[in-house]
């Protein structure tokens, strides 16, 4: 094992263990819901690739603030994080930035990774993009975590209605009828974090984010009021 390499990676906040796929547009939250419901990340535009950024989420809050000024933001604070090592094993690779002339001399098997770069004119190097030549990736609660704008949004997704466990009833008898409420306990379906939390806790470091994710347990539950009833 290259211990120096691990020390360098741990010391640099701009290097992430994860690759991130963010949704876009005014319906970005709904797009994330659809991804989670299907448990799949798809190449919906039929580009032949699924795209990711290597830029750590701990450094992206200001970028999302910029995009938030547009009615159809290019990227929104809703997405999926997948381990870089896992995606590399599936075939994901960093984008190759260069001139069109350089693309022409690339072997055909490399051209799916190419993105044109023209300084101060066409520059997407800030994306630090990776691509996977595939139509879809199957998602499991073990191989990814979710990112949302707010903590409330995260909890609404992580503890969703499909993961209901126990139900508790509480109430009293009045005129021979039982009046009560039902509390449902929902299990965690996905690990994750919100951009709101990253900012609130003074721009969490990547190690602090990792600790938050690692401490989340799929046996965790949250209680929700299911409503009142008469019996």
């Amino acid at each position: 094992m290259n211990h120096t390499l691990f020390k360098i990676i741990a010391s640099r906040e701009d290097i992430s263990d994860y690759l991130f796929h963010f949704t876009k547009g005014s319906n970005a939250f709904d797009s994330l819901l659809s991804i989670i419901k299907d448990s799949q990340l798809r190449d919906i535009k039929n580009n032949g690739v699924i795209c990711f950024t290597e830029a750590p989420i701990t450094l992206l809050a200001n970028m999302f603030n910029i995009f938030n000024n547009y009615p159809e933001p290019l990227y929104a604070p809703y997405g999926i994080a997948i381990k870089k090592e896992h995606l590399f094993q599936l075939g994901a690779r960093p984008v190759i930035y260069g001139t069109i002339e350089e693309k022409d001399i690339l072997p055909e098997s490399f051209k799916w990774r190419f993105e044109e770069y023209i300084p101060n004119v066409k520059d997407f190097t800030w994306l630090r993009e990776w691509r996977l030549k595939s139509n879809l990736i199957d998602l499991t609660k073990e191989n990814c975590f979710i990112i949302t704008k707010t903590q409330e949004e995260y909890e609404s997704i992580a503890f969703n209605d499909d993961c209901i466990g126990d139900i508790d009833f509480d109430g009293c008898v009045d005129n021979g009828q039982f009046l009560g409420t039902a509390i449902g306990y929902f299990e965690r379906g996905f690990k994750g974090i919100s951009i709101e939390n990253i900012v609130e806790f003074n721009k969490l470091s990547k190690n602090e984010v990792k600790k938050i994710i690692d401490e989340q347990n799929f046996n965790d539950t949250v209680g929700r009021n299911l409503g009142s009833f008469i019996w």
Side-chain angles (χ1 to χ4, degrees), residues 15-214:
I15 299 178
S16 176
D17 292 332
Y18 289 88
L19 298 179
F20 304 92
H21 178 92
F22 292 103
T23 55
K24 58 184 66 178
S26 57
N27 63 341
F29 179 69
D30 291 335
S31 296
L32 177 59
L33 291 179
S34 179
I35 290 169
I36 293 171
K37 180 180 178 181
D38 296 339
S39 294
Q40 288 183 330
L41 200 54
R42 296 177 178 271
D43 169 27
I44 58 175
K45 291 188 176 181
N46 295 317
N47 292 322
V49 296
I50 300 175
C51 302
F52 301 86
T53 177
E54 189 179 9
I57 55 170
T58 54
L59 304 178
L60 295 182
N62 289 336
M63 183 192 77
F64 290 130
N65 287 337
I66 293 172
F67 285 132
N68 191 49
N69 294 315
Y70 297 88
E72 295 294 329
L74 180 61
Y75 292 103
Y78 302 101
I80 296 289
I82 304 177
K83 275 280 191 177
K84 185 192 302 182
E85 181 179 352
H86 177 67
L87 285 171
F88 183 83
Q89 291 171 350
L90 292 179
R93 296 294 185 268
V95 158
I96 301 169
Y97 296 98
T99 65
I100 287 296
E101 292 75 20
E102 290 171 327
K103 179 181 181 181
D104 291 338
I105 63 175
L106 280 175
E108 196 64 36
S109 59
F110 280 75
K111 289 184 178 180
W112 62 275
R113 295 171 55 187
F114 182 85
E115 180 67 35
E116 184 182 19
Y117 171 64
I118 305 174
N120 302 315
V121 177
K122 186 178 182 181
D123 183 356
F124 289 99
T125 57
W126 53 270
L127 273 175
R128 296 174 60 184
E129 185 180 355
W130 282 55
R131 293 175 183 170
L132 175 65
K133 194 175 184 180
S134 176
N135 293 321
L136 64 86
I137 302 171
D138 289 322
L139 302 175
T140 69
K141 61 184 182 182
E142 291 82 14
N143 73 5
C144 71
F145 70 83
I146 60 178
I147 302 112
T148 60
K149 181 178 181 179
T150 70
Q151 187 64 17
E152 182 180 359
E153 290 169 332
Y154 164 65
E155 291 180 359
S156 72
I157 297 175
F159 300 92
N160 61 63
D161 293 347
D162 294 330
C163 302
I164 191 168
D166 296 330
I167 300 178
D168 286 344
F169 300 94
D170 187 24
C172 63
V173 176
D174 184 18
N175 293 326
Q177 290 183 316
F178 184 80
L179 309 177
T181 58
I183 303 295
Y185 292 90
F186 298 83
E187 297 177 349
R188 186 189 301 277
F190 282 91
K191 295 184 177 183
I193 196 167
S194 67
I195 300 298
E196 180 180 61
N197 264 10
I198 291 174
V199 174
E200 180 181 354
F201 292 110
N202 196 25
K203 297 184 179 178
L204 294 176
S205 70
K206 67 178 184 181
N207 288 332
E208 290 167 331
V209 170
K210 181 179 184 303
K211 183 179 179 182
I212 289 174
I213 299 299
D214 289 346

